[in-house]
Amino acid sequence: MRSELEASLVAKNGLLDRRLFMKGGLLAGSIAVFAKPGRVDDTSTEAAINYEAPVFDVQSASQSIGAFLPDSMKTPGAIFRGYGKPAGAESSVQRIILQPYGDLAPGAGIAMTPLQSLEGTITPNGLHFERSHNGRPTINPDEHEFLIHGLVQQPLKFSMDILSRYPLISRNYFIECAGNSFFNSNLFSEATQVSVGMIHGLVSGAEWTGIPLSILLDEAGLLPEGKWILAEGADSAGMSRSIPLGKAMDDAIIAIYQNGEMLRPEQGYPMRLLLPGFEGNMSVKWLRRIKVTSNPTYTKDETSKYSDLMPDGMARQFTYTMGVKSTITRPAGGLVMNGPGLYEISGLAWSGSGKIIKVEVSADGGTTWAAAALDGEPLTRALTRFRIPWKWDGLPTLLQSRATDEAGNTQLRRDVWSAQYAEGQLYHCNAIQTWSIARNGEVTNVFI
Ligand SMILES: Nc1nc2c(c(=O)[nH]1)N[C@H]1C(S)=C(S)[C@@H](COP(=O)(O)O)O[C@H]1N2
Ligand SMILES: [Mo]
């Protein structure tokens, strides 16, 4: 076994061939693998990852199984309930809430997805990140109206009832806030010790169901001068953004359902715009109108924010597409490695430009790289899970991941990414991020 493991080494410091865990027989009986990752909250670094499967004597185990009945087998279980909830023991899995303006504007802020506690690529609806500029409104779906007007032949007004009679499509897409990963941006000169959810948790993945916006715009009849749309939300922030008509007619959706149920209020109930791969801000929630215009409207939300300052003092306007990015979610900040041994590194990758085609992992701070396995068929502008086996020798190590998308974009080193912008750039940070593994197994966020 040892020599087979050695033969599987593909990069420095114990990274193993991505196919190793697919050869089931190789592992049977010889390697102790995975339990669930430890639960963490952002104040604790106590939780351990326990990958050691307990070894037991089969004979005595089968005797004691007969003699011992767990309490759950002695009384009837709980009765039915109308809407399910996570198991009680999972109650510490919560969104990470930041309210930068405190009581002045408690509804302006973020609630981040706890990526360290999740697996797969679909974010449970109750844990989808929320970014709201002035709280989430309560909207009565029976009274909500959605208007299409401006440079169209025929303005249209939809009730939810009329809208839901249109043919629907379902697509798996991520939404990512332009401010995601600001803890890795050049807003900071020193790395902050927070969980992976707090660094990268302004991204979530869901199956969205709704009506292609192109169908509704076609029905309204676009006038030739129409080149842009303005989308406005029915919240007290009056969030509004200009969107090039090309995107609106391409893959934009008026989303009504999220992972099979009606949108959550946090995500824009009863309807939102969804612009796959574009910065989350443009996917206007609680959508109330779309106006077709000849030019961008230059709303407050796209002039006071969401521009990128360059080193020469000029600002880049309208950076729509989210860059290619990845993050290792396990092991990750706040988790502790449970001694040397064989682990599975697991993480997420995504790109606003299309499909992820490659994720590489380094266990020596970016000197050597190994290709991770992509779990399932990568989808365009959706989260992709990657995994790679790793034999940690117990020495201090620097773990990184680097994703490449089908357009050929690859993540840059943090210093190289930073040098592209003026100091204090926090939007669109898709630089490589580094986890440091200490000898005692502690995982911390570092800048190298
Ligand atoms: N009406 C409205 N739409 C909005 C916002 C808002 O505050 N109001 N926030 C935007 C921002 S900045 C982001 S990143 C996404 C977040 O979507 P989510 O909260 O469903 O994750 O919604 C966008 N749409
Ligand atoms: Mo955002």
Side-chain angles (χ1 to χ4, degrees), residues 12-266:
K12 281 262 174 63
N13 291 351
L15 285 171
L16 300 166
D17 189 295
R18 65 183 188 279
R19 288 161 294 229
L20 183 69
F21 286 162
M22 295 171 198
K23 303 180 207 154
L26 183 73
L27 293 170
S30 49
I31 293 187
V33 233
F34 331 122
K36 279 180 57 164
R39 280 186 292 277
V40 289
D41 60 49
D42 282 283
T43 52
S44 134
T45 54
E46 299 304 313
I49 311 177
N50 178 10
Y51 290 111
E52 297 291 319
V55 176
F56 57 83
D57 172 334
V58 175
Q59 199 123 29
S60 68
S62 48
Q63 274 159 15
S64 65
I65 281 171
F68 170 76
L69 283 182
D71 288 347
S72 57
M73 296 178 75
K74 295 179 192 157
T75 50
I79 57 163
F80 309 100
R81 51 189 177 188
Y83 197 98
K85 279 194 278 196
E90 300 299 320
S91 62
S92 66
V93 179
Q94 299 281 329
R95 285 190 279 230
I96 305 149
I97 298 171
L98 293 183
Q99 292 158 298
Y101 313 103
D103 290 343
L104 277 178
I110 49 182
M112 311 176 86
T113 296
L115 298 173
Q116 65 276 10
S117 306
L118 302 178
E119 255 297 336
T121 56
I122 295 291
T123 310
N125 286 343
L127 295 173
H128 195 287
F129 89 86
E130 178 185 359
R131 166 73 176 112
S132 291
H133 290 241
N134 198 18
R136 104 190 141 254
T138 303
I139 292 179
N140 179 346
D142 299 332
E143 286 168 11
H144 185 71
E145 283 179 338
F146 165 56
L147 191 68
I148 295 183
H149 67 128
L151 297 172
V152 293
Q153 279 154 11
Q154 175 63 58
L156 299 173
K157 193 158 80 176
F158 300 90
S159 65
M160 288 307 294
D161 181 46
I162 290 175
L163 203 57
S164 55
R165 289 183 219 168
Y166 279 76
L168 301 170
I169 59 164
S170 298
R171 295 285 184 278
N172 190 332
Y173 291 124
F174 72 81
I175 297 181
E176 183 182 22
C177 179
N180 196 24
S181 316
F182 63 85
F183 277 119
N184 199 37
S185 77
N186 73 18
L187 194 60
F188 293 89
S189 53
E190 271 168 47
T192 316
Q193 289 324 315
V194 288
S195 69
V196 62
M198 201 148 162
I199 300 179
H200 300 296
L202 288 177
V203 70
S204 302
E207 184 202 65
W208 305 95
T209 300
I211 302 133
L213 177 56
S214 59
I215 290 183
L216 304 182
L217 289 175
D218 275 342
E219 191 175 343
L222 292 165
L223 295 176
E225 314 89 89
K227 296 282 184 283
W228 290 76
I229 63 168
L230 169 76
E232 183 185 71
D235 53 339
S236 60
M239 254 282 319
S240 45
R241 286 292 305 254
S242 307
I243 296 140
L245 192 62
K247 183 67 173 177
M249 294 300 286
D250 179 14
D251 55 359
I253 297 178
I254 303 292
I256 303 176
Y257 296 88
Q258 167 185 1
N259 291 327
E261 62 180 358
M262 284 294 291
L263 291 182
R264 288 291 170 95
E266 287 89 332

Side-chain angles (χ1 to χ4, degrees), residues 324-382:
V324 62
K325 199 190 286 190
S326 66
T327 175
I328 295 172
T329 56
R330 188 175 38 136
L335 299 174
V336 179
M337 306 278 294
N338 196 20
L342 188 58
Y343 290 82
E344 183 181 71
I345 292 173
S346 173
L348 290 170
W350 62 96
S351 168
S353 298
K355 292 177 189 168
I356 291 296
I357 57 160
K358 181 169 71 173
V359 179
E360 298 158 292
V361 172
S362 173
D364 58 2
T367 310
T368 63
W369 296 89
L374 303 183
D375 195 346
E377 200 54 46
L379 298 171
T380 189
R381 300 176 177 94

